Structures are given as C-alpha cells and as structure tokens.
Amino acid sequence: MVRGLPEDMGQPLSWADSGQSILKLNIRHLWFCGAWPLPGSWMFNMYGAFILVLGIWNAVESLLSLYFCWGDMDEMTMVFISTFTNACGTVKMVFFMPNRRHYYALARHVEKLASMQSEFCSADPVLADIWQGSQRRASRLTLGLLFLMFSQYPVWFPMPIIAQPEDRRLPFAQHGWDNNTNYYELSYVVQCVLSTFATQLSNGVDLLFATVMILTAAQMQILTVRIASLKTEYTEVKLEKGLSVMAYQTQNTCDDKMYEKLCQCIGNHQKILRFVKQLEKTMSSIAIMQFCFSVLSICVTLFQATYSTDFSSVLKCACYLPVPTGQIFLYCWGAHNITEQAEAVTLAAYSCSWLGASPRFKRALRILMCRAQKPLVLTAAHLYPMSREAFVSVVNASYSFYALLGQMNRR
C-alpha cells in the first residue's frame, strides 16, 4: 500500500468504473495514451513501455540533431521546440507511471467530493445549476483543447513534404549525420507517431488536473451558497408562529437546526480543504515541470516566428504558440478559481443570519471564518504559487528569454 493512501482508494479503476466517473473523458484519454490502465495487463504495460521507449529515442535523436546543426540558430530553435514539447510528455509519463495509485485515489476522492453535497444539489436548483455547469465547463474545456492540439498535426506533419519536397526534410529533428537519406520514411512516421502520443499525453495530464480544479471550485461555491442561506429557514419559521411561547420554542428548534447545518458545512469545508492538499501533492511536481517546459517552448517559438525567413516555419510556430501558453494558463486559472471560492467562504459566513443566532452557532461560525481567512493557495513544487498573477509573470519570463535570444542572434 502506498504511504498515506487507504488500500481501497489506491485500487485500479475498471473500464466500467471509468464509465461512471466524472473524469471519464480524462481517464479514457490517458488510457489511450498508455498511461492509465483500465484494467492493467501485460499487453497494456508493453504498450506504455513502447511509448516510453519512443520518447527516449526522440531525446537521443534530438541531441544528435543539435550536435550536427550547432551554430545554425534557425535550425536549433526548431529542434528545441519539438524537443521541449515531446520531452514534456515523456517526462510526465515517467512521473505518472510509478505514481498511478495516487491518481486512482485522486479519481475516487473526486467522486466522494461530488457525492458529499449531492443531496443539497438535488433539492436546490441553484446548487444543481452550479454543479452541472462546472461539469459542462470541464467537458468543453477538455474537448476544446484536445481539438486545438489535433489541429496542430495537419500543420506540422505534412509541411516538409508540401513546402520542401525535394529536400527530404523531416517534420522535427533533422538527421544531419546522413542528410535524411537513411530510413527517411520510417523516421518520418516515427517522429509523427511519437509527437502525437507525447503531446496528447502532456495535454491529457494537464486537462485531468484542470478538470479536478474546476469541480473542486464548484464544490466550494456550492458550500458558500449553503452557508449564506442559513438565514432563510429561521425567518420563515418565525413568521409562522404567533404566540410568544411557541416563538420561543421555535427559536430554540431553529437554532438547533441552524447549528446542525453549520456543522455540516464546516465538515464539508474541512473535507474540501483536505482534498485540495491531496490535489496539490499529486499535481505539484507535474505543474512545476510544465511551467519550465512551457517557458522554454514559448521563448524559442517566439524567436522562430520572429526571425525565421522560412514561411512554413513561421506558420507552424504561430499556430503552435497558444499550446504551451494554454498549458500554463490551465493550472493558474484553475488554482486561482479555487483560491477565490475559498476566500468567498468568509463573506458567505458573514452574510448568514448570525446576528440573532445562538452563542454556540456564533462560536462555530467564528472558527469557520478564521479558517477561511487563511489563503488556500495551490503551489508548483510547494514553492511557486499558482494564480493569474503567476501566469503573467511566467509569460513575462518567457518574453525576457526571447529578448535575450534576439540579442544573441543580432551579434
């Protein structure tokens, strides 16, 4: 058993389990990429190992290509773009495969998180709309970004054959040691296949975490609405009773109900906070790695799009630029939404009917507000906070490196 995970939570998901999961689209996409077994078998493990070997082969091929084209800034930056992109997917698979049980547990905890407030969502159309809207948003985001990635392949893969058919160029790293003469067709196919799997895997992991963050933020938003509406029942019940004795009894009963509901909200809040910590632990290393690779990819892609004299290279880079930028934005946007919804808990607590509530209700509410005032910030590698401000700073860092490359190129 993996340390810190119950045995049942770390068990693999079956194909049927994935079909009933909120993360169905993300899990089955990662299954296609060879990372998430449904269920595990020696054939699937061989499939995943084959994809990993292709990634290692690409790293060796890219290093050799860099050695033979060293000094040609235009050629080097093209190799760097493909190397950073494919290496990111390969490294994510290296991180993913030994830690599969953490991802199984993450998927199961998402299901528990969704069921935690399901009865309130089924009883309140407003809460149901929040939850269903988050699921639609997550599905559309996943399908949209996967479509964006698939749209790159018709631009990158056939471009060498269309633009320079007589030069027998490869789509990514060129074989400078033999001028692409040996095994040209095989090398062309291998590069296209590898790039497809590496980019799909890289985006699949990012979209998995983005989906989880969207659903978590929705659960926090549902909680804030529940806390803010604690005043409703008390006002209605008090208006129904006219006698002072009955009003006194109703007030006690109402205080008990409000306190019980508040305790439920506090318990749900604590579960969400614990889940966010688990999410950060699972996501942290992947996020910081994505930040590093995206900064480098944006830098060299901007350079190639600005200084290249080859129109096909400019077109490919211009089409590709939104991909690494979007991968950073996924993490920063999702984490920022969780932080915002966590901060809204304090305002929701202040908005409820605390003024005429019982002393124990006020004490419990103060505890909730004090905890909610502590910022809930997701970090990359427990060092770099993820937020919209962090996204801007990362993009600025990419531009700074791009400007440095431009100065080196003009010398």
Side-chain angles (χ1 to χ4, degrees):
M1 185 175 74
V2 181
R3 183 184 301 176
L5 289 181
E7 184 68 29
D8 58 334
M9 299 299 290
Q11 291 297 320
L13 280 75
S14 66
W15 183 267
D17 292 336
S18 70
Q20 299 172 359
S21 174
I22 303 174
L23 305 176
K24 171 185 175 180
L25 184 59
N26 304 95
I27 292 174
R28 292 190 173 179
H29 179 255
L30 289 173
W31 169 82
F32 168 77
C33 297
W36 195 307
L38 289 173
S41 65
W42 69 269
M43 293 184 64
F44 186 86
N45 292 333
M46 291 294 294
Y47 172 58
F50 172 71
I51 296 174
L52 193 58
V53 168
L54 282 180
I56 297 172
W57 164 257
N58 176 256
V60 175
E61 182 184 42
S62 299
L63 289 174
L64 288 173
S65 179
L66 284 172
Y67 176 78
F68 281 93
C69 72
W70 194 261
D72 186 345
M73 187 67 77
D74 187 69
E75 190 67 39
M76 286 171 56
T77 50
M78 283 299 294
V79 176
F80 277 130
I81 293 172
S82 63
T83 302
F84 292 148
T85 303
N86 295 335
C88 186
T90 303
V91 174
K92 283 181 182 178
M93 191 165 191
V94 171
F95 274 87
F96 191 98
M97 294 178 72
N99 298 303
R100 281 173 175 169
R101 299 192 65 172
H102 288 282
Y103 290 90
Y104 302 154
L106 183 68
R108 295 185 188 277
H109 277 114
V110 169
E111 295 298 325
K112 291 182 65 176
L113 197 71
S115 62
M116 181 179 67
Q117 302 187 100
S118 59
E119 60 177 311
F120 303 103
C121 293
S122 59
D124 189 336
V126 175
L127 302 183
D129 185 63
I130 294 173
W131 180 240
Q132 292 169 6
S134 67
Q135 291 178 285
R136 288 193 299 268
R137 196 179 310 117
S139 298
R140 290 170 183 171
L141 178 67
T142 300
L143 292 173
L145 289 185
L146 289 180
F147 175 77
L148 174 63
M149 197 65 247
F150 274 112
S151 69
Q152 302 297 311
Y153 304 146
V155 177
W156 282 79
F157 292 170
M159 188 62 72
I161 300 176
I162 297 173
Q164 300 166 314
E166 69 283 352
D167 293 340
R168 292 171 61 89
R169 289 183 62 81
L170 294 169
F172 301 109
Q174 308 303 316
H175 295 176
W177 54 91
D178 63 0
N179 293 321
N180 299 333
T181 54
N182 296 326
Y183 306 103
Y184 173 73
E185 292 79 7
L186 178 61
S187 299
Y188 203 108
V189 172
V190 168
Q191 286 192 4
C192 293
V193 170
L194 167 67
S195 179
T196 301
F197 277 104
T199 52
Q200 288 299 312
L201 177 62
S202 179
N203 281 272
V205 174
D206 298 336
L207 288 168
L208 172 69
F209 290 131
T211 299
V212 174
M213 287 189 284
I214 290 172
L215 298 177
T216 305
Q219 285 294 319
M220 191 70 80
Q221 185 179 1
I222 291 171
L223 181 64
T224 59
V225 175
R226 287 174 55 203
I227 294 172
S229 64
L230 285 175
K231 60 187 178 182
T232 306
E233 183 180 355
Y234 173 75
T235 304
E236 292 176 353
V237 173
K238 185 176 180 182
L239 290 175
E240 290 176 359
K241 305 299 180 179
L243 297 177
S244 59
V245 176
M246 291 298 295
Y248 174 75
Q249 293 175 350
T250 304
Q251 182 177 355
N252 289 339
T253 304
C254 185
D255 286 342
D256 291 339
K257 289 182 179 180
M258 287 181 64
Y259 180 73
E260 290 174 5
K261 289 187 176 183
L262 178 61
C263 289
Q264 287 181 342
C265 292
I266 292 174
N268 295 155
H269 184 243
Q270 291 173 342
K271 289 178 182 177
I272 295 174
L273 295 181
R274 285 195 293 267
F275 175 78
V276 171
K277 292 302 177 184
Q278 180 197 353
L279 172 62
E280 181 184 29
K281 182 179 179 181
T282 306
M283 180 178 65
S284 183
S285 57
I286 298 289
I288 191 65
M289 181 183 60
Q290 182 61 61
F291 278 28
C292 295
F293 277 109
S294 289
V295 166
L296 296 173
S297 296
I298 294 171
C299 167
V300 293
T301 304
L302 274 174
F303 178 86
Q304 183 69 217
T306 304
Y307 294 99
S308 178
T309 56
D310 183 5
F311 175 75
S312 64
S313 297
V314 174
L315 176 63
K316 290 189 292 186
C317 292
C319 294
Y320 172 71
L321 193 58
V323 175
T325 309
Q327 287 179 290
I328 302 175
F329 185 73
L330 278 179
Y331 288 97
C332 295
W333 170 71
H336 190 89
N337 285 345
I338 292 178
T339 302
E340 278 191 338
Q341 293 301 327
E343 291 173 350
V345 172
T346 301
L347 181 60
Y350 187 77
S351 301
C352 76
S353 184
W354 60 270
L355 196 59
S358 63
R360 63 173 182 172
F361 179 90
K362 294 178 180 178
R363 286 194 297 268
L365 192 66
R366 283 199 298 268
I367 294 173
L368 174 64
M369 294 177 70
C370 290
R371 178 60 187 89
Q373 286 175 351
K374 182 180 179 181
L376 184 61
V377 180
L378 282 85
T379 61
H382 304 287
L383 296 173
Y384 197 82
M386 292 186 288
S387 63
R388 293 174 190 169
E389 293 77 12
F391 171 74
V392 175
S393 65
V394 169
V395 172
N396 286 337
S398 300
Y399 183 81
S400 299
F401 289 126
Y402 154 75
L404 179 62
L405 276 179
Q407 290 181 356
M408 293 172 59
N409 184 62
R410 287 192 292 268
R411 289 181 180 179

